[in-house]
Amino acid sequence: MIKNDLNKADVLPYGKVTLTKLDEVQLGDERVYLYAKSGLSMTPDFAWYDKTGNYFAQSWGGMYVIRDGFNKAQFEQLKARQLKAEQAYLENLAEQLTEYHPALLLDKVNVFDVSTGKTLKAQQVLIEQGKIVQVAPMIKLNKRVATVNGEGKTLIPGLWDMHGHLSKDTGILNIATGVTSVRDMGNEHQNLMEIQSLFDTGKVLGTRVYRAGFMDKYSENSAGLSVKTLAEALDMVDFFADNGYVQIKLYSSIDPEWVKPIAERAHSRGLRLSGHIPAFMTAEQAVHAGYNEIQHINMLFLNFLAGEDVDTRTKQRFSLIGEKAADMPMTGEQMDAFIKLLADKNVVIDPTVSTFRSLLMSQNKQIDQEFAEIATHLPPNFVRSLKGAQMQVDEAHLSAYQNSGEAMLKMVKILYDAGVPMVAGTDSVPGFTLLRELELYTLAGIPAPEVLKMATIDSARLMGVAHQTGSVSEGKVADLILVDGDPSQDIKALRKLSLVIKGTQVFKPEAVFEQIGIAPFTKASRIVL
């Protein structure tokens, strides 16, 4: 493409790639060029190439690569330029893909009421300055407003991903799939504050952000932000409280003896406590020590399979589930008492079932079944990455791992039937993983209207903002999605989004998808001015 000065090209087995030159610089004897490549992976890829189109250097996350013969100081020069160019590229995308309408009328639209679980037919919804002004069968207008024909479509609140890990470019996927709010469950503070600012101002495509502070105890297995003493851990709680975080998330290396004092400090500062269950501690003990929420469904199984004896900082927190979860009794005195404890204490479960099924059930040379139904819409390099087992399971355990993936759905239904609150999150590919997570809840036997409530008003309520968002209600912020179909009858209809509204911003998923090389699932709604 570089050699032939092409900015677009068809690729095999399908799709298109877009190449955009962003920068060029002389580095020693070599002139190098920065390109944004879109259409092969789920989000744009940025890298440096030489004049003949050969790969030269790239920076991503904390890692980098540069051609042999060049040094780190030269790389730092490229990195600074790359970060600046990436920012400009993402801001330009946001400018292209965002529409602003002072007033917008959705006409003849069916409105899903999250409070009743019922759908109101043929309504008009008027939005002004990013707020829902009126919902009624007929609205008297005193001026011309931009109008959308909502016939055959359902308006629901924007979706929530309650287990995200945000970066500047993940906002694209979230917005395109109807996710308007994300609870970030672990990030670097300055990075997350910058992301939130960019998303809030609309400079970069993105969601509303709710921040959970991440903490682990320093060890050979620790992850992310680690502390060495309980005093440091308590200071960290205060830091997160002082900086507007909504809760604390603990990780697997935390000393079980620390959980109670951390919980007391968090609660005294108005924060909730959640996380992995620390190694050598049970979920039951964590709840008694002050956990308000548990991340990941495997932690519920480990309450019985690992107990206080297994080091769940290791891969055993996955392999034990794969090998033994399917054979674990789902009823009985111990299990019933544990589920009752969760319900009585109102402990929220963030299952991330889809991500665990990918982990346990994916197989070599087969597309991960969590994405199989939509694979033909997705970029080819991403689909290629789905064709492989995430865990190397020996032949003797293959069927056990498959059955354990199904056991997780049984657990979800048991939790729901017992009245244990749940929220939907991803901890994986933004957007599409959430839609699959919601689909899995319905496959487990939870009615679709109840699943929609979990992903909207229930999540807003947990974050303390249900008075201003989470339902299609007059006076609330217009975080809304227009679905081509009725997701309260068929949850898969959520893929067919014709419009996404985030306050004053309006997005057409069709256009967003096309920009990043994803085949749209439906046509965008036309806005008539």
Side-chain angles (χ1 to χ4, degrees), residues 267-317:
H267 295 157
S268 75
R269 298 299 310 270
L271 302 181
R272 302 170 66 256
L273 184 67
S274 75
H276 289 200
I277 305 303
F280 312 113
M281 188 181 203
T282 67
E284 186 176 339
Q285 290 169 341
V287 169
H288 285 302
Y291 262 46
N292 305 105
E293 179 177 342
I294 296 171
Q295 263 70 53
H296 307 305
I297 195 139
N298 68 320
M299 295 294 162
L300 305 187
F301 287 91
L302 290 173
N303 185 69
F304 302 96
L305 298 177
E308 299 175 66
D309 305 317
V310 177
D311 188 350
T312 52
R313 295 173 298 175
T314 68
K315 287 185 178 177
Q316 282 190 281
R317 70 177 182 266

Side-chain angles (χ1 to χ4, degrees), residues 99-255:
E99 295 183 25
Y100 293 91
H101 298 281
L104 185 66
L105 180 73
L106 303 172
D107 187 30
K108 300 174 187 169
V109 67
N110 299 325
V111 176
F112 178 69
D113 183 344
V114 293
S115 61
T116 64
K118 299 190 183 311
T119 300
L120 306 172
K121 302 288 186 180
Q123 299 291 298
Q124 289 189 323
V125 179
L126 180 62
I127 299 164
E128 290 184 349
Q129 305 302 330
K131 291 278 186 78
I132 302 168
V133 174
Q134 197 174 351
V135 181
M138 183 64 68
I139 297 172
K140 187 175 180 181
L141 299 172
N142 53 20
K143 60 185 175 184
R144 254 178 99 88
V145 300
T147 303
V148 174
N149 181 358
E151 275 192 282
K153 296 179 171 60
T154 306
L155 189 69
I156 71 168
L159 301 174
W160 287 66
D161 179 354
M162 293 293 277
H163 197 129
H165 294 281
L166 292 167
S167 61
K168 290 179 188 178
D169 58 1
T170 54
I172 302 170
L173 282 174
N174 277 319
I175 288 297
T177 50
V179 178
T180 56
S181 296
V182 173
R183 180 179 63 175
D184 187 288
M185 293 304 292
N187 218 311
E188 193 274 322
H189 175 68
Q190 290 301 332
N191 182 52
L192 187 53
M193 296 304 289
E194 182 188 8
I195 289 167
Q196 184 169 0
S197 173
L198 290 169
F199 288 0
D200 284 349
T201 57
K203 288 182 78 175
V204 170
L205 285 184
T207 63
R208 305 197 189 277
V209 178
Y210 299 83
R211 292 176 274 124
F214 178 89
M215 193 192 312
D216 202 3
K217 181 184 178 184
Y218 185 80
S219 78
E220 67 274 15
N221 300 109
S222 57
L225 190 60
S226 298
V227 293
K228 293 184 177 178
T229 66
L230 176 57
E232 287 182 10
L234 298 178
D235 287 344
M236 194 59 66
V237 172
D238 289 335
F239 172 84
F240 288 131
D242 292 342
N243 283 278
Y245 285 68
V246 293
Q247 69 189 69
I248 304 294
K249 176 190 173 186
L250 301 182
Y251 210 64
S252 302
S253 290
I254 287 287
D255 188 330

